Amino acid sequence: HTHIDVAWLWTLSVTRDKAVRSFSTVLELMRRYPEYIFMSSQPQLYAYVKQDAPEIFEQIKARVAEGRWEPEGAMYVEPDCNLASGEALVRQIVYGKRFFREEFGTDSVILWLPDVFGYSAALPQIMEKCGVHYFMTTKISWNEVNKLPYDTFYWKGIDGTKVLAHFIPTRDYCSTTRKFHTN
């Protein structure tokens, strides 16, 4: 997986270039290493590549058809989940799943949000009603004070809906005593 911020400390044209360069690098790695399998989220990035480098996009489609490239993530972009309304989050999923279905013939079942700073308590219900069954993030494990006891667990939303959640643990590699992962 590669994570590319669509909106960060660079211009939109830099984001577009990063998408083309990153995806081109992955395709080259796939040529060199036939066993290599890759996953990438955010249909907006694929749309940029389709517009800016259609030959790269066609190669991606071929790798998806082979099962070596996994378009996944459910949402059109990885959004802020604290301030967005439920309607906005639903639309993210509707447009994201539609893009993956129309372009690649795939259906997203994982909400892939590695780089957001919080989550709506309504997400499990929204996910379930949109046919998204799994949740993945990383930021939860970055907390130095409030540790979660598990990396994989069922997240129960405010209405009682549960989804299987996983966060990729991390650690402080500069320290031999501070660990940022769970058991």
Side-chain angles (χ1 to χ4, degrees):
H1 176 259
T2 185
H3 171 69
I4 301 171
D5 285 308
V6 174
W8 195 61
L9 299 176
W10 49 59
T11 64
L12 189 54
S13 65
V14 170
T15 298
R16 295 174 80 109
D17 290 344
K18 283 182 178 291
V20 171
R21 283 194 320 267
S22 296
F23 290 176
S24 296
T25 298
V26 168
L27 290 167
E28 178 57 29
L29 289 169
M30 288 181 161
R31 278 188 281 281
R32 291 183 193 180
Y33 306 100
E35 70 281 5
Y36 181 52
I37 298 173
F38 179 75
M39 177 274 193
S40 192
S41 60
Q42 302 192 95
Q44 178 63 72
L45 297 175
Y46 291 93
Y48 290 152
V49 172
K50 183 178 181 180
Q51 292 169 358
D52 299 345
E55 68 286 354
I56 299 298
F57 188 76
E58 289 304 314
Q59 291 177 49
I60 292 169
K61 287 179 87 167
R63 298 298 82 76
V64 170
E66 293 173 359
R68 295 181 60 207
W69 187 300
E70 299 174 354
E72 187 55 85
M75 291 188 169
Y76 200 76
V77 297
E78 294 167 5
D80 172 83
C81 293
N82 287 316
L83 300 176
S85 70
E87 176 69 19
L89 296 173
V90 168
R91 286 178 186 267
Q92 281 277 5
I93 295 172
V94 167
Y95 287 112
K97 287 178 68 116
R98 180 186 302 159
F99 182 93
F100 284 145
R101 185 176 55 252
E102 290 175 356
E103 294 295 340
F104 304 116
T106 63
D107 184 34
S108 288
V109 295
I110 302 169
L111 181 55
W112 187 270
L113 295 176
D115 195 29
V116 299
F117 295 95
Y119 314 94
S120 167
L123 269 176
Q125 179 183 19
I126 291 169
M127 290 169 57
E128 186 63 28
K129 294 202 178 283
C130 291
V132 178
H133 308 292
Y134 311 102
F135 175 75
M136 192 295 307
T137 191
T138 58
K139 291 278 174 103
I140 293 172
S141 64
W142 290 15
N143 191 314
E144 294 182 27
V145 178
N146 299 313
K147 305 265 188 247
L148 288 179
Y150 305 104
D151 298 325
T152 304
F153 53 93
Y154 280 99
W155 178 15
K156 187 174 178 182
I158 55 177
D159 75 327
T161 301
K162 289 192 260 184
V163 295
L164 185 60
H166 177 75
F167 62 92
I168 298 171
T170 188
R171 62 172 284 139
D172 182 352
Y173 286 99
C174 298
S175 170
T176 58
T177 58
R178 289 179 38 198
K179 294 182 180 178
F180 294 93
H181 65 279
T182 59
N183 298 322

